[in-house]
Tab-separated table of all heavy atoms in Angstrom:
chain	number	residue	atom	x	y	z
A	101	ILE	N	-0.200	13.204	5.544
A	101	ILE	CA	1.079	13.878	5.803
A	101	ILE	C	2.045	13.621	4.646
A	101	ILE	O	2.700	14.541	4.133
A	101	ILE	CB	1.694	13.385	7.132
A	101	ILE	CG1	0.838	13.873	8.314
A	101	ILE	CG2	3.131	13.880	7.288
A	101	ILE	CD1	1.244	13.266	9.646
A	102	VAL	N	2.133	12.365	4.218
A	102	VAL	CA	3.039	12.009	3.133
A	102	VAL	C	2.602	12.655	1.818
A	102	VAL	O	3.403	13.283	1.109
A	102	VAL	CB	3.107	10.475	2.979
A	102	VAL	CG1	3.899	10.095	1.733
A	102	VAL	CG2	3.742	9.847	4.212
A	103	LEU	N	1.332	12.506	1.478
A	103	LEU	CA	0.829	13.037	0.201
A	103	LEU	C	0.987	14.549	0.112
A	103	LEU	O	1.222	15.094	-0.962
A	103	LEU	CB	-0.641	12.640	0.017
A	103	LEU	CG	-0.884	11.153	-0.263
A	103	LEU	CD1	-2.358	10.806	-0.096
A	103	LEU	CD2	-0.411	10.771	-1.658
A	104	GLY	N	0.883	15.227	1.251
A	104	GLY	CA	1.018	16.680	1.262
A	104	GLY	C	2.442	17.155	1.039
A	104	GLY	O	2.674	18.350	0.813
A	105	ARG	N	3.419	16.231	1.090
A	105	ARG	CA	4.822	16.620	0.939
A	105	ARG	C	5.442	16.135	-0.372
A	105	ARG	O	6.620	16.367	-0.618
A	105	ARG	CB	5.640	16.049	2.127
A	105	ARG	CG	5.424	16.839	3.397
A	105	ARG	CD	5.834	16.045	4.624
A	105	ARG	NE	5.843	16.871	5.821
A	105	ARG	CZ	4.761	17.296	6.460
A	105	ARG	NH1	3.567	16.983	5.996
A	105	ARG	NH2	4.861	18.037	7.540
A	106	LEU	N	4.671	15.471	-1.211
A	106	LEU	CA	5.202	14.944	-2.464
A	106	LEU	C	4.886	15.883	-3.623
A	106	LEU	O	3.782	16.425	-3.719
A	106	LEU	CB	4.601	13.563	-2.746
A	106	LEU	CG	4.871	12.482	-1.688
A	106	LEU	CD1	4.219	11.169	-2.115
A	106	LEU	CD2	6.356	12.282	-1.457
A	107	LEU	N	5.857	16.066	-4.503
A	107	LEU	CA	5.647	16.919	-5.670
A	107	LEU	C	4.836	16.197	-6.738
A	107	LEU	O	4.040	16.807	-7.451
A	107	LEU	CB	7.006	17.346	-6.247
A	107	LEU	CG	7.874	18.212	-5.330
A	107	LEU	CD1	9.216	18.513	-5.992
A	107	LEU	CD2	7.156	19.517	-4.993
A	108	ASN	N	5.039	14.886	-6.874
A	108	ASN	CA	4.315	14.081	-7.858
A	108	ASN	C	3.833	12.801	-7.180
A	108	ASN	O	4.477	11.750	-7.283
A	108	ASN	CB	5.226	13.751	-9.048
A	108	ASN	CG	4.470	13.078	-10.190
A	108	ASN	OD1	3.355	12.576	-10.011
A	108	ASN	ND2	5.066	13.074	-11.370
A	109	PRO	N	2.703	12.875	-6.458
A	109	PRO	CA	2.243	11.725	-5.664
A	109	PRO	C	2.084	10.433	-6.459
A	109	PRO	O	2.398	9.353	-5.964
A	109	PRO	CB	0.901	12.201	-5.101
A	109	PRO	CG	1.016	13.683	-5.068
A	109	PRO	CD	1.834	14.050	-6.279
A	110	GLN	N	1.585	10.519	-7.710
A	110	GLN	CA	1.342	9.297	-8.467
A	110	GLN	C	2.627	8.530	-8.744
A	110	GLN	O	2.622	7.306	-8.855
A	110	GLN	CB	0.619	9.625	-9.781
A	110	GLN	CG	-0.820	10.085	-9.563
A	110	GLN	CD	-1.638	10.056	-10.837
A	110	GLN	OE1	-1.300	9.379	-11.790
A	110	GLN	NE2	-2.730	10.800	-10.859
A	111	ARG	N	3.747	9.224	-8.858
A	111	ARG	CA	5.024	8.550	-9.115
A	111	ARG	C	5.809	8.303	-7.832
A	111	ARG	O	6.600	7.373	-7.752
A	111	ARG	CB	5.869	9.374	-10.093
A	111	ARG	CG	5.314	9.373	-11.507
A	111	ARG	CD	6.309	9.987	-12.484
A	111	ARG	NE	5.821	9.853	-13.855
A	111	ARG	CZ	6.022	8.792	-14.618
A	111	ARG	NH1	6.702	7.768	-14.143
A	111	ARG	NH2	5.555	8.721	-15.849
A	112	GLU	N	5.629	9.150	-6.826
A	112	GLU	CA	6.467	9.095	-5.633
A	112	GLU	C	5.842	8.347	-4.460
A	112	GLU	O	6.556	7.842	-3.592
A	112	GLU	CB	6.830	10.517	-5.180
A	112	GLU	CG	7.645	11.300	-6.198
A	112	GLU	CD	7.793	12.763	-5.819
A	112	GLU	OE1	7.157	13.206	-4.833
A	112	GLU	OE2	8.531	13.468	-6.518
A	113	PHE	N	4.506	8.270	-4.412
A	113	PHE	CA	3.852	7.699	-3.239
A	113	PHE	C	4.153	6.211	-3.081
A	113	PHE	O	4.360	5.727	-1.963
A	113	PHE	CB	2.337	7.922	-3.303
A	113	PHE	CG	1.602	7.466	-2.069
A	113	PHE	CD1	1.858	8.051	-0.840
A	113	PHE	CD2	0.654	6.456	-2.125
A	113	PHE	CE1	1.183	7.644	0.302
A	113	PHE	CE2	-0.030	6.040	-0.991
A	113	PHE	CZ	0.234	6.642	0.221
A	114	GLY	N	4.183	5.465	-4.197
A	114	GLY	CA	4.433	4.024	-4.114
A	114	GLY	C	5.738	3.684	-3.409
A	114	GLY	O	5.740	2.934	-2.425
A	115	PRO	N	6.883	4.223	-3.883
A	115	PRO	CA	8.151	3.925	-3.200
A	115	PRO	C	8.172	4.363	-1.736
A	115	PRO	O	8.722	3.649	-0.882
A	115	PRO	CB	9.182	4.714	-4.027
A	115	PRO	CG	8.573	4.776	-5.396
A	115	PRO	CD	7.100	4.936	-5.149
A	116	VAL	N	7.576	5.525	-1.429
A	116	VAL	CA	7.548	5.967	-0.029
A	116	VAL	C	6.662	5.035	0.801
A	116	VAL	O	7.036	4.612	1.896
A	116	VAL	CB	7.050	7.431	0.069
A	116	VAL	CG1	6.886	7.835	1.533
A	116	VAL	CG2	8.023	8.372	-0.610
A	117	ARG	N	5.511	4.688	0.251
A	117	ARG	CA	4.577	3.813	0.960
A	117	ARG	C	5.151	2.414	1.163
A	117	ARG	O	4.771	1.702	2.106
A	117	ARG	CB	3.258	3.764	0.177
A	117	ARG	CG	2.236	2.736	0.614
A	117	ARG	CD	1.779	2.925	2.044
A	117	ARG	NE	0.807	1.903	2.392
A	117	ARG	CZ	1.109	0.645	2.719
A	117	ARG	NH1	2.369	0.258	2.761
A	117	ARG	NH2	0.151	-0.205	3.019
A	118	SER	N	6.099	2.015	0.301
A	118	SER	CA	6.706	0.694	0.446
A	118	SER	C	7.429	0.554	1.786
A	118	SER	O	7.574	-0.560	2.308
A	118	SER	CB	7.689	0.422	-0.697
A	118	SER	OG	8.843	1.234	-0.586
A	119	LEU	N	7.874	1.672	2.360
A	119	LEU	CA	8.531	1.619	3.666
A	119	LEU	C	7.564	1.134	4.740
A	119	LEU	O	7.972	0.505	5.716
A	119	LEU	CB	9.095	2.995	4.036
A	119	LEU	CG	10.229	3.496	3.134
A	119	LEU	CD1	10.655	4.899	3.544
A	119	LEU	CD2	11.423	2.553	3.202
A	120	GLY	N	6.268	1.427	4.556
A	120	GLY	CA	5.268	0.906	5.484
A	120	GLY	C	5.199	-0.610	5.425
A	120	GLY	O	5.090	-1.284	6.453
A	121	SER	N	5.289	-1.162	4.214
A	121	SER	CA	5.287	-2.621	4.059
A	121	SER	C	6.540	-3.230	4.661
A	121	SER	O	6.490	-4.285	5.310
A	121	SER	CB	5.194	-2.983	2.568
A	121	SER	OG	4.015	-2.440	2.002
A	122	LEU	N	7.688	-2.573	4.454
A	122	LEU	CA	8.929	-3.069	5.045
A	122	LEU	C	8.850	-3.038	6.568
A	122	LEU	O	9.309	-3.963	7.250
A	122	LEU	CB	10.110	-2.226	4.558
A	122	LEU	CG	10.499	-2.408	3.084
A	122	LEU	CD1	11.546	-1.380	2.683
A	122	LEU	CD2	11.035	-3.821	2.842
A	123	GLY	N	8.264	-1.981	7.106
A	123	GLY	CA	8.090	-1.893	8.550
A	123	GLY	C	7.201	-3.001	9.077
A	123	GLY	O	7.471	-3.587	10.135
A	124	TRP	N	6.123	-3.289	8.337
A	124	TRP	CA	5.221	-4.384	8.708
A	124	TRP	C	5.992	-5.698	8.764
A	124	TRP	O	5.851	-6.493	9.695
A	124	TRP	CB	4.091	-4.468	7.677
A	124	TRP	CG	3.011	-5.444	7.999
A	124	TRP	CD1	3.099	-6.801	7.945
A	124	TRP	CD2	1.672	-5.150	8.421
A	124	TRP	NE1	1.895	-7.373	8.288
A	124	TRP	CE2	1.010	-6.383	8.583
A	124	TRP	CE3	0.976	-3.976	8.645
A	124	TRP	CZ2	-0.323	-6.464	8.973
A	124	TRP	CZ3	-0.356	-4.054	9.028
A	124	TRP	CH2	-0.988	-5.276	9.200
A	125	MET	N	6.852	-5.932	7.748
A	125	MET	CA	7.645	-7.156	7.698
A	125	MET	C	8.608	-7.245	8.881
A	125	MET	O	8.744	-8.306	9.504
A	125	MET	CB	8.428	-7.211	6.381
A	125	MET	CG	7.547	-7.381	5.155
A	125	MET	SD	8.394	-6.991	3.609
A	125	MET	CE	9.615	-8.301	3.576
A	126	VAL	N	9.254	-6.132	9.187
A	126	VAL	CA	10.190	-6.122	10.320
A	126	VAL	C	9.455	-6.438	11.620
A	126	VAL	O	9.946	-7.186	12.472
A	126	VAL	CB	10.914	-4.766	10.417
A	126	VAL	CG1	11.706	-4.672	11.719
A	126	VAL	CG2	11.847	-4.580	9.234
A	127	GLY	N	8.253	-5.875	11.777
A	127	GLY	CA	7.456	-6.163	12.964
A	127	GLY	C	7.132	-7.646	13.076
A	127	GLY	O	7.265	-8.253	14.150
A	128	CYS	N	6.739	-8.259	11.951
A	128	CYS	CA	6.393	-9.694	11.954
A	128	CYS	C	7.622	-10.557	12.218
A	128	CYS	O	7.570	-11.524	12.992
A	128	CYS	CB	5.759	-10.072	10.621
A	128	CYS	SG	4.123	-9.335	10.343
A	129	TRP	N	8.737	-10.227	11.543
A	129	TRP	CA	9.957	-11.009	11.747
A	129	TRP	C	10.428	-10.922	13.197
A	129	TRP	O	10.884	-11.910	13.771
A	129	TRP	CB	11.070	-10.505	10.823
A	129	TRP	CG	10.849	-10.833	9.374
A	129	TRP	CD1	10.085	-11.842	8.866
A	129	TRP	CD2	11.386	-10.124	8.256
A	129	TRP	NE1	10.109	-11.807	7.485
A	129	TRP	CE2	10.894	-10.768	7.080
A	129	TRP	CE3	12.221	-9.020	8.105
A	129	TRP	CZ2	11.239	-10.334	5.804
A	129	TRP	CZ3	12.562	-8.592	6.830
A	129	TRP	CH2	12.067	-9.242	5.705
A	130	THR	N	10.333	-9.719	13.756
A	130	THR	CA	10.766	-9.535	15.143
A	130	THR	C	9.970	-10.433	16.079
A	130	THR	O	10.521	-11.085	16.968
A	130	THR	CB	10.602	-8.065	15.562
A	130	THR	OG1	11.399	-7.235	14.702
A	130	THR	CG2	11.036	-7.856	17.007
Side-chain angles (χ1 to χ4, degrees):
I101 291 171
V102 172
L103 289 166
R105 284 161 170 74
L106 300 180
L107 296 177
N108 188 343
Q110 290 195 20
R111 290 190 174 274
E112 298 171 353
F113 185 63
V116 174
R117 170 60 180 79
S118 70
L119 294 177
S121 301
L122 289 172
W124 186 288
M125 292 164 66
V126 171
C128 292
W129 289 336
T130 300

